[in-house]
Amino acid sequence: MNIGVDIGGTNIRAGIESGGHITRQNQTLLANKHSLSATLDQLMDVIRPLTAYPVKGIGIGVPSVVDVNKGIVYNVMNIPSWEEVALRDIVEKEFNLPVSVNNDVNCFILGEHRFGLARKFRSVIGMAIGTGLGSGIIVDNHLYAGRNCGAGEIGMLPYKDSILENYVSSRFFEDSLGIDAYAAHDAALKGSKKAIEAWEEFGVHLGAVIKAIMYTYDPEAIVMGGSIAKANRFFQESMLESIQDFAYPESLRKLTLLLSENQNIALLGAAALLDD
């Protein structure tokens, strides 16, 4: 058994992976994010009770660029005090267990590949669509992070007057409707024509991301997760229409598109880092 940890900009979650499931889960709301010592203390407090069980190691997913070899995280999203943190060494010293650290979206797709919807695919891309747009890559059954853990940042590619992420994340709704994606989803559920049209346009932009992934990686499958993926009923049709002009129709025909279902998949992927 391994401990999986998911550090977000709002919460820290941790749990024990056992038989492909998360057990004995702990969670805390991040407080005093401008204090490195305070946030690290919170992290230790979430992990500590789980170390009382016979676990082999600790895997941690973080929303940032990670020096995977050294376990150092840089400029963690929404945690200002985490500019450069030797996280692996700090946690290993505290608990005397082996620790592996990686990007949170890499953990998401590793979890889907090891325990979730992508188990039967050798090459698969994971997309986390929410506040931003992140991607993780599995190639020939192995997680590929790139030299600097920056592989798969499709959202940073140029698109229209900006980058793809600004059109395929909550920012799109903030710019077009003046509300975040959660409120836009709620408005669409209530029948708002303006919100429904915005979601349809969002689907077109998401289609551009899928085509970029196909041209770059040509995977067997793409797994979509994150808070925005839950609104798929409002963007799925326009998304599918927008990818029909993909240059290689046979590749498109073979592509499998999936929606993540397991709320603990990133924790499972983090726990699997020790075995990757």
Side-chain angles (χ1 to χ4, degrees), residues 146-210:
R147 181 177 181 182
N148 302 296
C149 200
E153 291 297 332
I154 299 294
M156 298 305 293
L157 292 176
Y159 182 66
K160 294 187 178 292
D161 61 340
S162 184
I163 58 175
L164 279 167
E165 183 173 74
N166 289 338
Y167 286 86
V168 186
S169 70
S170 188
R171 297 175 199 172
F172 170 74
F173 300 97
E174 292 161 8
D175 291 340
S176 60
L177 299 177
I179 56 178
D180 63 17
Y182 180 85
H185 187 199
D186 187 56
L189 288 169
K190 293 176 179 176
S192 166
K193 182 180 178 181
K194 191 174 181 180
I196 291 171
E197 289 175 349
W199 279 107
E200 290 172 350
E201 183 183 347
F202 176 86
V204 174
H205 301 314
L206 179 54
V209 175
I210 292 172

Side-chain angles (χ1 to χ4, degrees), residues 207-271:
V209 175
I210 292 172
K211 286 185 284 188
I213 289 172
M214 288 291 290
Y215 285 125
T216 307
Y217 299 107
D218 189 23
E220 298 171 82
I222 297 173
V223 185
M224 290 180 281
S227 56
I228 288 181
K230 298 173 184 176
N232 69 295
R233 61 175 281 197
F234 294 109
F235 63 73
Q236 183 170 345
E237 185 176 348
S238 59
M239 176 192 73
L240 292 175
E241 288 178 1
S242 73
I243 63 176
Q244 295 308 309
D245 63 352
F246 185 72
Y248 310 117
E250 184 63 15
S251 298
L252 188 62
R253 186 186 68 80
K254 294 178 180 177
L255 176 68
T256 301
L257 295 174
L258 300 164
L259 285 172
S260 183
E261 301 169 347
N262 190 331
Q263 297 299 312
N264 289 325
I265 204 69
L267 286 178
L268 289 167

